[in-house]
Amino acid sequence: MTLSRVLRSVPMMATALIAALGVFTAPAGASPLPAGTGTPVLHFNADGSTSVEGVIESGHPVTIDFDPARLPGCRGADEYGDSWGISVQYRIDGGDLRVYPVTERVTADGKDTTIRSLGTLQLRPDTHHLQMWFVNQDRSGCQEEDTNHGANYQFDINQPPVLARATYRADWSETLTGPLRRGGALVIDYDPARLPQCRATYRGYPAWDITAFYRFDGGPVQSAPVNQGAEAIPFRIDVPANAQKIETWFKISNYYAQCSAYDSDYGKNYTFSIN
């Protein structure tokens, strides 16, 4: 039997995907993130309990692991199979409402099945508070919510000091402000206008993203997103205690076409010395 992991489009879930602030999705069925990823995880367990794995810090991602058994109603189906999905709705520092799916639908033998999925939110460096709740909906209009008895789920964000900021502006200038020190932190603030290529859309929504790549002293390459659509999302990098320099470069990719472009200072990469 061949399993085809194809999402069937539903307007509610498409809206949720685009409305999120700086996110990756990591489909995982019923499994949490592998141990040792370093990303904190908020677990919402089937028995109604909630637990935090790791430390939630500003400028770093946090992963949402929600067990669909917490919202067992609204399990609509149609000729294609399951027609329901669960999303997390959240506000950062009391700001705009954001939505992101915590389930996905996969198709096997022509039938849709809704499965558990992980949603990862990239927090801005100045984030202080995160509140969230969960909504289950199906195509019939049935809806149920998990709101912590109306109080919503509230999380304070740890605030390590940010010592330096690298800013990459639309006019192709780059500046480093603040002391970049070993054992400190660096915020990457990248303007998406620097990479205008590959800007296709899908059903009216951006179908591209920009990734920052970085490495210390020629070591392993690491990466993080720097945008959600045209909106820039600064992120924080922790500087190792023995680092001498950091290199950065950026890539835009299109989801649906083989199109990509780089911003790498003509292949030299953007390099900053660390004191």
Side-chain angles (χ1 to χ4, degrees):
M1 178 179 70
T2 301
L3 176 64
S4 176
R5 296 182 64 83
V6 179
L7 296 181
R8 196 176 298 281
S9 175
V10 179
M12 174 190 70
M13 299 306 289
T15 302
L17 177 62
I18 299 302
L21 172 64
V23 294
F24 283 157
T25 183
S31 300
L33 282 177
T37 62
T39 301
V41 184
L42 303 180
H43 295 286
F44 297 85
N45 306 309
D47 62 4
S49 64
T50 303
S51 60
V52 179
E53 178 185 346
V55 178
I56 310 171
E57 295 184 336
S58 65
H60 285 333
V62 59
T63 292
I64 312 301
D65 177 27
F66 184 85
D67 194 316
R70 292 171 69 105
L71 289 172
C74 298
R75 293 292 198 260
D78 56 23
E79 66 271 26
Y80 300 110
D82 290 345
S83 66
W84 59 275
I86 300 174
S87 61
V88 58
Q89 302 196 6
Y90 64 101
R91 297 183 189 275
I92 294 176
D93 293 331
D96 294 339
L97 176 66
R98 311 273 182 174
V99 184
Y100 199 74
V102 291
T103 60
E104 65 169 322
R105 272 191 293 279
V106 298
T107 302
D109 296 334
K111 285 294 185 181
D112 288 350
T113 301
T114 301
I115 66 170
R116 184 175 181 172
S117 180
L118 300 177
T120 299
L121 315 180
Q122 176 64 48
L123 302 177
R124 291 178 178 274
D126 55 355
T127 300
H128 288 80
H129 188 75
L130 178 64
Q131 67 163 309
M132 63 183 63
W133 61 98
F134 299 86
V135 178
N136 181 19
Q137 294 176 299
D138 65 21
R139 283 200 183 106
S140 73
C142 179
Q143 177 173 311
E144 61 174 342
E145 299 183 353
D146 178 358
T147 64
N148 192 23
H149 306 289
N152 298 332
Y153 297 96
Q154 311 281 341
F155 302 94
D156 290 326
I157 310 303
N158 196 38
Q159 298 290 313
V162 173
L163 302 178
R165 179 180 291 262
T167 304
Y168 305 77
R169 298 184 178 86
D171 64 3
W172 291 100
S173 64
E174 301 86 30
T175 58
L176 178 67
T177 56
L180 181 55
R181 296 174 178 165
R182 301 180 186 96
L186 172 67
V187 170
I188 300 294
D189 192 353
Y190 186 85
D191 192 326
R194 289 171 65 107
L195 282 171
Q197 306 92 326
C198 305
R199 296 295 183 92
T201 60
Y202 179 73
R203 298 187 177 181
Y205 297 110
W208 52 271
D209 62 10
I210 298 176
T211 302
F213 297 91
Y214 62 95
R215 63 184 175 186
F216 294 98
D217 301 326
V221 175
Q222 303 179 67
S223 64
V226 296
N227 76 296
Q228 175 65 38
E231 182 180 10
I233 304 172
F235 73 98
R236 198 185 93 230
I237 299 172
D238 293 324
V239 180
N242 59 349
Q244 301 292 319
K245 70 176 182 178
I246 181 173
E247 297 174 66
T248 63
W249 64 100
F250 305 87
K251 178 183 178 182
I252 187 170
S253 301
N254 186 300
Y255 304 143
Y256 298 101
Q258 293 186 355
C259 180
S260 62
Y262 285 85
D263 174 7
S264 62
D265 196 17
Y266 302 100
K268 296 182 293 183
N269 299 335
Y270 300 99
T271 302
F272 302 104
S273 297
I274 300 170
N275 298 316

